[in-house]
Amino acid sequence: MAAAAGVSRATVSYVLNGVDARVSDETRERVLKAARTLGYTPNAMASALRAGRTSVVIFALPNWPLGPALGEFLSGCVTELDRLGYTPLVHFVHASGPDGLQKACDRVRPVGVVAPSGDLPPERIEALRGNGTHGFVLMGRDPVPGVPTFILDQNRVGAVAIEHLAERGHQRVLALTPLDPQLGDLGEVRLAGAQEAAERLGVTLTHVPADELQRGLEVEPTGVYAFNDELALGALDALPDGVALIGTDDSPAARLSHPRLTTIRFGGQDNPARIASTLHAQIAGETIQEPVINSTPTVVQGETT
Amino acid sequence: MAAAAGVSRATVSYVLNGVDARVSDETRERVLKAARTLGYTPNAMASALRAGRTSVVIFALPNWPLGPALGEFLSGCVTELDRLGYTPLVHFVHASGPDGLQKACDRVRPVGVVAPSGDLPPERIEALRGNGTHGFVLMGRDPVPGVPTFILDQNRVGAVAIEHLAERGHQRVLALTPLDPQLGDLGEVRLAGAQEAAERLGVTLTHVPADELQRGLEVEPTGVYAFNDELALGALDALPDGVALIGTDDSPAARLSHPRLTTIRFGGQDNPARIASTLHAQIAGETIQEPVINSTPTVVQGETT
DNA sequence: TTGAAAGCGCTAACAA
DNA sequence: TTGTTAGCGCTTTCAA
């Protein structure tokens, strides 16, 4: 490449990295033309080696059920990170082996990582810091000291649902959960939150896996809380008239259903932007002012409650 | 590191890469211990630079609606690739800028790429080949000459749905589509396939966006084909008794709904494994025998048709 | 305004 | 069985 343009490798580097002060217009033109002709792309491995860092940000996705809400959130994060000049890539934690995230980080040396707090313990973070990873955002229920954390309080989701039903006078409530082990840990926390709220508010909560819906109806509930919108929609037709129903996720389908489903929306629109900028600030070496990003669940009122 | 173990860098490299023939047991032990003590991790950038290739496989995800079916497929691909020793990472094509995939490939120099055929034209593939990318699997409607292709015939999905309804004697059918622009291109192709099949079979097909379901019912359809299961479930309660309903995706919620939803399952269980092994073979320099991986949609019979 | 050269951390060929 | 060394492609300092 340098030879093709008749200049030194150094000059090529300056041109391609926009250090304009250093090269004459004429030389720059020649280099750019040669680059185009040859289809030259700088070797990112080499420059990463030299610089001691890549532009990659790994988003470690835990075993969450893939749906519209998650898609929107992920897309948002990717878009923001891309805008800031990073190369965001999603790693499926549960689908790789036990040390999948660890291995992925060792192999791409990301400059930043977004990961569930459970998958990235403090000692790993320390190890990564020494390897060129400078930005961290954890996702979890509780704040992690010293590391910016995106609070996803599934516990609260369950509580909000029950509070909503209780406010409307429902005393016997069914909690409808997917069979899918995917919702596993996530679901347990939600259920616990719902249970707590139920006790607090004097609501009788019966937990029923989705495939036993019919059996659950024997307790003659006045309200049903489904752990996701699909489940709610699937139950809608089977529920006796007058039984209230609230789903979770605010999926597009919930907005389009007849009757329109009441559901729970998780988190604000600007969370992806805040996650991205938190990462960016850390990587730039700034101190983070707000180490906690809160995601509050809110009820989206429909016609089913 | 080499110094800490009192050996040369070469020896460290051999030990950590399992070239056992070269080092004595005693030396190996010493090196491994030192590595553990120091928390030493080989710099993958350096070794990638040296080797001319990384272990990363980029899976370029187009603007498909995220749901359980896609999740299963993606997880499958990731698991298989991981098993083969690669580092699979998912790139959200639509969420990055226009040349997002290009940029991502330039920055991580993946050894393999799985991408929609529309996002990876032949000239790009050629360029990538020169940059250390040796495995390609395209996803699209039609085979691409010279490149293994995973055939996703959305056209056929639409046709299968209409055929299923026609077989059961339905002559007036509603096609219920999401508003979501996400399904855009994908949806158009499906609709076209359904339209063709309808004409062929003498079925009257009316296309209605999901938010106009009520208006669609004025044509008094005897069957409804929804472009995804969530939409189908959302409509279930609103449809008059006796109207047949078929969804798309075979989502868990469809299996759990009451009545159980008839739906369309897309593709076989072993597609991820075939995609992974096709990539693997190419990277190993083998010639691919079966350059086309077919994904045939099949009806999953429920109680709604 | 430009070139020469060092060095990022690793691996593989060659020497001992 | 182990050490020495060249060189992967880049950026950046120093010299011209």
Side-chain angles (χ1 to χ4, degrees), chain B residues 9-10 13 17 40 42-43 47 50:
Chain B
R9 284 157 46 191
S13 173
N17 291 305
Y40 170 78
N43 184 321
S47 84
R50 179 66 227 253

Side-chain angles (χ1 to χ4, degrees), chain A residues 229-248:
Chain A
D229 285 347
E230 287 71 39
L231 229 51
L233 293 172
L236 193 51
D237 204 53
L239 293 180
D241 277 357
V243 174
L245 177 63
I246 182 168
T248 317

